[in-house]
Amino acid sequence: APLRSLKNYCEMFEERCGSTLNEEGRRLVGLTQQSVGRMQRMVSDLLEFSRLGREKTPPATVSLEACLDEALADLAGEIAGRRAVVARSPLPSVPGHHDQLGRLLQNLLSNALKYCDAEPRLSVSAAREGGLWTVSVADNGIGIPAPKRESVFGLFERLHPWEKYEGTGIGLAACRKIVEHHGGRIWIEPAAGPGTTVRFTLPGLSEDPG
């Protein structure tokens, strides 16, 4: 509520007094509005983050193929606008919560698109190792320095100023929380060429062949 009020006050001030402001005044009003918008997104992401792992419904069989389809549909506009190519291999079904696993894939794909200065080339694949599935999301983006590959999963951790790459620093922390809630782990490896590969494990269904 305080942020909504501040946003409304800024809009009212700009509407009533904007014509009397010089260039610097308009710039400062614009920066204030941007900051309010960023804070609103951060509060929203924090609320969602706090709810992760608190579901009262028991795990069900979740098709990661369906989760990926939904994530790609949600990102279709950005994928088309960036002329991105997404290669995919068959993904398994696992025990878990559909909404969380869908958000996990969408967060990883969104990051891969965001942190790529060239035309994005992404791939999603999975491999079975014993009782676990390892899912990989690889990109040809700007990469993550080796010393930062663990810290980027911390809450509010950012490698770049928001002016260059927007974000609240919560996305990867949410990914880790989702994966750990599902009994897996998540980590970052360097890609074979430019870019990054994020891998996470999830337990397989008991009836899956080993």
Side-chain angles (χ1 to χ4, degrees), residues 104-159:
L104 168 65
L105 288 172
Q106 183 166 340
N107 279 2
L108 294 177
L109 290 170
S110 179
N111 274 358
L113 291 167
K114 181 194 303 183
Y115 297 106
C116 185
D117 294 334
E119 290 185 0
R121 297 292 181 267
L122 317 181
S123 68
V124 185
S125 59
R128 180 71 182 247
E129 300 176 12
L132 295 176
W133 284 98
T134 299
V135 180
S136 302
V137 179
D139 64 59
N140 63 331
I142 61 176
I144 298 175
K148 297 293 186 179
R149 288 178 193 147
E150 174 62 24
S151 63
V152 290
F153 290 103
L155 201 58
F156 303 127
E157 286 291 336
R158 290 179 54 85
L159 299 182

Side-chain angles (χ1 to χ4, degrees), residues 56-62 94-97 181-182:
K56 296 181 180 179
T57 56
T61 298
V62 177
V94 298
H97 298 275
H181 178 60
H182 283 76

Side-chain angles (χ1 to χ4, degrees), residues 17-36:
C17 306
S19 60
T20 65
L21 296 174
N22 59 19
E23 183 177 347
E24 177 65 7
R26 289 192 294 272
R27 185 183 73 85
L28 292 175
V29 171
L31 288 174
T32 302
Q33 291 173 323
Q34 288 179 15
S35 296
V36 171

